[in-house]
Amino acid sequence: MKDFEIRISGISGKWLFALRDYKIWEIIIDWKDCLEIINEEKYNNLPIEEKEYVQIINWVYRYFLTPARYMNHSCYNNTEPREIWDFVIRDIKAW
């Protein structure tokens, strides 16, 4: 995680903050390094605060690990998920 760090956001919770500039269409996160497919039993045994990092689509439980769990996919997001990556969709300046 040398290109970004996790910090407390002024808006809500923890977010990723860029430590370098990113250009549009760069891959910022490769999910294979921070995504675990889990089963329903493992999901049911997760602490409640961890369940917010699980996305369930078509009965597939995707458990997002650090740093992917802190990506901002807000209404005015800087990145967009595609397949197994998050791409930069507008230039990002380092913080």
Side-chain angles (χ1 to χ4, degrees), residues 35-51:
L35 175 71
E36 180 183 348
I37 303 300
I38 62 174
N39 62 29
E40 185 176 6
E41 180 182 358
K42 183 167 182 174
Y43 172 77
N44 290 335
N45 289 318
L46 286 174
I48 193 75
E49 62 273 6
E50 285 297 304
K51 288 182 178 179

Side-chain angles (χ1 to χ4, degrees), residues 19-85:
L19 298 178
R20 71 168 179 86
D21 293 348
Y22 285 89
K23 295 291 182 193
I24 194 167
W25 297 122
E26 270 189 82
I27 294 174
I28 192 167
I29 296 249
D30 185 334
W31 295 353
K32 77 177 184 312
D33 300 326
C34 51
L35 175 71
E36 180 183 348
I37 303 300
I38 62 174
N39 62 29
E40 185 176 6
E41 180 182 358
K42 183 167 182 174
Y43 172 77
N44 290 335
N45 289 318
L46 286 174
I48 193 75
E49 62 273 6
E50 285 297 304
K51 288 182 178 179
E52 72 179 280
Y53 303 116
V54 177
Q55 179 184 63
I56 305 167
I57 300 175
N58 296 327
W59 300 103
V60 175
Y61 293 75
R62 296 178 176 139
Y63 182 36
F64 289 91
L65 308 171
T66 301
R69 63 174 46 186
Y70 300 115
M71 289 300 295
N72 176 8
H73 296 122
S74 69
C75 294
Y76 190 69
N77 52 315
N78 294 323
T79 67
E80 184 173 289
R82 300 267 176 105
E83 296 181 30
I84 61 165
W85 305 281

Side-chain angles (χ1 to χ4, degrees), residues 8-19:
I8 300 296
S9 149
I11 298 171
S12 71
K14 295 177 182 178
W15 286 4
L16 288 183
F17 288 83
L19 298 178

